[in-house]
């Protein structure tokens, strides 16, 4: 009889998830710190390429390197890579234009856009509770971005462009989530994580003619650190779903706001506004409503959720 790879150890699962969220937020801070001198495409390369050795070592230690990297859907991995890499690039550009807490808060809208996209592309029915969740979440997004739009659609404003980039990244990550729902039917978790890192590394090289720079030693360390941190965080968040269901762990995603506020204040002297926090609370409320509803319906998609990287597409 095969031995199950999962067990119910909720405290371990929560610890793994919270540490992973902290690392992902730290990764965003690292990318923000170099955003003034490093193009987004170059940052995507370091984030993706230096995560690969971490993932390979992890798979080797588990004995999964050979079997779990087999794929039945190579084109599915390429599509996931294209959309996920675009989301990562837009996020990295937006981090250079907006405060870290604001980027984090707008990113909370991903599950809301996932619901909308699932209805459009997967034909999932959205009933009253989900419609209410979408409405609450979108209202929260509008409240958060209103201060950036109140001055008019000024495309020369870095903050306005930053909002558009983060919104675009959020929608793209929503598409990635519904795409992964299909992929996990035939693909191992390890394959989806590994091939995304490889695809993103290769795609980012296409931006090389558009102004890559040779980083100084400190910047190079920050870039390599972002890749290593991202790889470790991906492993931790994936592992957390072996010990508890996604419905139980999903609310801990919002711990990232605490990390973002602390890092934003200490590192970048940024502080969230009351309007932003109010909007974030509404988005979180909409997401919690979705989590509660899916838990009641038994629609926990832990395997797909474990592949969703907040800053990796």
């Amino acid at each position: 009889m095969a031995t199950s790879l999962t067990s119910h150890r909720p405290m371990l699962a929560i610890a793994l998830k919270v540490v992973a969220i902290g690392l992902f937020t730290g990764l965003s801070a690292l990318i923000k710190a170099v955003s003034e001198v490093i193009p987004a495409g170059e940052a995507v390369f370091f984030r993706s390429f230096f995560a690969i050795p971490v993932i390979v070592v992890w798979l080797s230690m588990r004995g999964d390197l050979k079997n779990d990297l087999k794929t039945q859907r190579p084109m599915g991995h390429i599509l996931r890579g294209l959309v996920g890499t675009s989301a990562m690039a837009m996020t990295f550009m937006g981090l250079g234009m907006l405060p870290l807490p604001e980027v984090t808060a707008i990113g909370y809208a991903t599950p809301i856009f996932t619901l909308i996209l699932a209805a459009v592309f997967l034909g999932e029915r959205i009933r009253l509770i989900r419609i209410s969740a979408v409405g609450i979440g979108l209202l929260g997004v509008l409240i958060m971005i209103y201060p950036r739009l109140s001055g008019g659609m000024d495309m020369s404003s870095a903050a306005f462009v930053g909002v558009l980039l983060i919104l675009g990244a959020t929608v793209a990550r929503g598409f990635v989530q519904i795409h992964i729902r299909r992929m996990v039917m035939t693909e191992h978790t390890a394959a989806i994580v590994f091939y995304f890192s490889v695809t993103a590394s290769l795609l980012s090289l296409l931006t090389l003619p558009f102004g890559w720079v040779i980083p100084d030693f400190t910047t190079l360390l920050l870039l390599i650190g972002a890749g290593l941190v991202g790889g470790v965080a991906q492993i931790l968040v994936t592992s957390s779903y072996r010990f508890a269901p996604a419905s139980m762990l999903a609310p801990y995603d919002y711990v990232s706001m605490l990390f973002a506020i602390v890092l934003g204040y200490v590192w970048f002297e940024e502080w969230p506004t009351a309007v932003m926090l109010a909007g974030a609370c509404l988005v979180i409320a909409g997401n919690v409503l979705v989590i509660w509803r899916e838990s009641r319906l038994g629609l926990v998609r832990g395997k797909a959720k474990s592949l969703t990287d907040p800053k990796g597409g």
Side-chain angles (χ1 to χ4, degrees):
M1 180 180 295
T3 302
S4 175
L5 295 177
T6 63
S7 62
H8 187 63
R9 301 173 63 184
M11 295 308 296
L12 175 59
I14 292 170
L16 289 171
K17 182 69 181 286
V18 170
V19 172
I21 293 300
L23 291 176
F24 277 130
T25 310
L27 184 160
S28 296
L30 290 170
I31 295 299
K32 182 176 178 63
V34 302
S35 60
E36 291 186 3
V37 293
I38 299 297
E42 186 174 354
V44 169
F45 173 79
F46 278 92
R47 158 66 181 93
S48 304
F49 182 77
F50 284 95
I52 294 175
V54 179
I55 295 169
V56 169
V57 169
W58 173 58
L59 294 178
S60 299
M61 292 174 63
R62 293 180 54 188
D64 296 335
L65 187 59
K66 182 178 180 180
N67 294 328
D68 284 9
L69 293 187
K70 293 179 181 178
T71 177
Q72 300 179 38
R73 299 183 58 187
M75 293 306 298
H77 289 287
I78 292 175
L79 178 59
R80 188 265 193 268
L82 285 169
V83 180
T85 303
S86 299
M88 189 188 301
M90 287 188 285
T91 299
F92 287 0
M93 286 188 283
L95 280 166
M97 302 176 183
L98 295 173
L100 181 59
E102 188 170 349
V103 172
T104 302
I106 296 174
Y108 289 157
T110 294
I112 301 299
F113 289 121
T114 301
L115 271 182
I116 298 171
L117 292 170
V120 174
F121 292 104
L122 301 182
E124 293 188 3
R125 299 180 67 180
I126 302 182
R127 298 184 184 274
L128 180 61
I129 292 179
R130 288 185 174 187
I131 291 173
S132 300
V134 169
I136 293 170
L138 291 180
L139 176 61
V141 171
L142 289 174
I143 289 173
M144 283 190 289
I145 68 175
Y146 176 75
R148 304 299 186 185
L149 307 181
S150 58
M153 305 297 184
D154 183 7
M155 291 300 294
S156 64
S157 166
F160 177 75
V161 174
V163 164
L164 294 183
L165 287 168
I166 299 302
L167 283 175
T170 303
V171 174
R173 284 200 296 271
F175 180 83
V176 166
Q177 284 198 13
I178 65 171
H179 183 58
I180 287 175
R181 289 183 191 179
R182 293 174 171 177
M183 292 186 68
V184 295
M185 296 177 183
T186 60
E187 305 297 294
H188 286 287
T189 297
I192 298 174
V193 172
F194 176 79
Y195 290 121
F196 171 68
S197 294
V198 172
T199 305
S201 299
L202 294 175
L203 289 173
S204 65
L205 290 175
L206 298 177
T207 67
L208 201 154
F210 299 98
W212 279 32
V213 300
I214 299 176
D216 59 40
F217 182 70
T218 300
T219 302
L220 180 62
L221 288 180
L222 292 175
L223 288 168
I224 294 174
L228 297 176
V229 166
V232 172
Q234 187 67 63
I235 289 169
L236 292 179
V237 76
T238 301
S239 299
S240 70
Y241 290 95
R242 294 174 57 194
F243 303 112
S247 58
M248 191 193 86
L249 293 176
Y252 291 93
D253 285 333
Y254 306 116
V255 175
S256 60
M257 179 54 71
L258 299 178
F259 290 122
I261 290 173
V262 172
L263 285 174
Y265 179 74
V266 173
W267 200 339
F268 306 107
E269 298 184 353
E270 300 170 342
W271 193 252
T273 64
V275 171
M276 190 220 78
L277 290 176
C281 287
L282 282 176
V283 174
I284 291 172
N287 289 343
V288 170
L289 190 57
V290 172
I291 294 166
W292 174 81
R293 181 58 175 168
E294 294 206 346
S295 178
R296 287 286 301 271
L297 293 176
L299 297 178
V300 176
R301 301 182 179 91
K303 198 173 181 182
K305 181 69 176 176
S306 71
L307 294 167
T308 306
D309 176 342
K311 294 293 173 281

